[in-house]
Amino acid sequence: MKIIAVGMNYANHNKEMHNSLLLSEPVLFIKPDSALLKDGKPFFLPDFSSNIHYETELVVKINRIGKNIAEQFAHRYYDEVTVGIDFTARDLQTELRNKGLPWEISKGFDGAAVTGEFIPLSEAGDIQNLSFHLDMDGETVQKGNTAEMLFPADKIIAYASRFFTLKMGDLIYTGTPAGVGQVNIGDHLQGYIGNRKLLDFYVR
């Protein structure tokens, strides 16, 4: 399986990151399967960064093989969703970007792709209008709605399938809204779609 993630997919997050690019297509990057962290296992802060940020996202699981998928048929290629976290080594990412170097290691390190419990889309609701949020130590620190996406899930899937054959079990991280922030040892993170808690783990 592979993890395809989308950057800069919420205008409010782009503003908080001082990114003024006007995008005509989704911005994609890949995380290796070794980045996957699931089943409520703790996230261990890596020793190569002093500024790890959470980025809460809706995650879509691909359920069939597809290549060059037309956008109007993309909804046939997934039927489960969850909330996940795209962890980012922000200091490392900034350093690499300032040097004009690839920054994949700041996004693709071990444990950097956290997923919650997947639920049927029929239970989650309309993917074009799903509210999700992240609580840290009982306080809501980030929230968004998929209606705010610059590129909706079906557009992302169609676009990604031009370059990568999508396979059963692949994960699509659809981007993060505003409100990203740093995590520290002992933080308790809980992620929700609507009022349904799907993600629950600690930072160690």
Side-chain angles (χ1 to χ4, degrees):
M1 59 83 66
K2 57 185 170 293
I3 302 165
I4 300 173
V6 182
M8 299 183 287
N9 202 24
Y10 286 80
N12 56 6
H13 172 61
N14 296 345
K15 183 177 181 180
E16 78 172 343
M17 299 303 293
H18 309 292
N19 192 324
S20 59
L21 285 176
L22 296 176
L23 303 174
S24 59
E25 294 175 324
V27 175
L28 304 181
F29 59 95
I30 299 290
K31 289 176 178 259
D33 57 5
S34 55
L36 186 63
L37 183 67
K38 57 183 181 177
D39 300 328
K41 294 178 181 177
F43 171 76
F44 290 91
L45 290 175
D47 60 6
F48 51 75
S49 173
S50 60
N51 191 17
I52 299 292
H53 278 201
Y54 59 80
E55 298 187 11
T56 314
E57 314 195 3
L58 183 82
V59 183
V60 174
K61 183 189 288 186
I62 299 298
N63 63 6
R64 59 192 290 193
I65 193 167
K67 175 69 176 174
N68 290 320
I69 301 165
E71 185 174 347
Q72 62 264 38
F73 301 126
H75 66 277
R76 300 178 180 177
Y77 288 82
Y78 61 93
D79 56 15
E80 290 183 294
V81 295
T82 192
V83 63
I85 293 180
D86 165 22
F87 274 124
T88 304
R90 193 70 73 196
D91 47 358
L92 184 56
Q93 183 188 48
T94 300
E95 176 186 349
L96 292 168
R97 277 182 166 171
N98 289 342
K99 293 177 179 178
L101 298 173
W103 42 265
E104 279 82 358
I105 59 174
S106 71
K107 289 275 196 178
F109 57 90
D110 289 353
V114 188
T115 59
E117 173 193 354
F118 279 91
I119 60 173
L121 190 57
S122 58
E123 296 180 13
D126 180 4
I127 197 167
Q128 306 288 348
N129 188 26
L130 288 181
S131 294
F132 60 95
H133 68 275
L134 178 72
D135 287 358
M136 181 185 293
D137 300 327
E139 299 283 340
T140 298
V141 293
Q142 191 178 20
K143 57 184 178 181
N145 188 290
T146 57
E148 302 165 353
M149 287 183 180
L150 300 177
F151 304 101
D154 289 358
K155 173 74 173 181
I156 295 166
I157 289 169
Y159 182 73
S161 72
R162 292 173 55 191
F163 306 97
F164 313 110
T165 297
L166 301 182
K167 297 184 177 182
M168 186 178 296
D170 287 351
L171 303 180
I172 310 287
Y173 279 66
T174 57
T176 194
V180 302
Q182 188 171 359
V183 294
N184 297 286
I185 291 175
D187 286 342
H188 183 198
L189 276 62
Q190 297 173 302
Y192 297 77
I193 291 178
N195 294 319
R196 186 164 177 176
K197 183 170 68 175
L198 300 174
L199 182 70
D200 192 336
F201 69 103
Y202 286 85
V203 178
R204 300 301 189 195

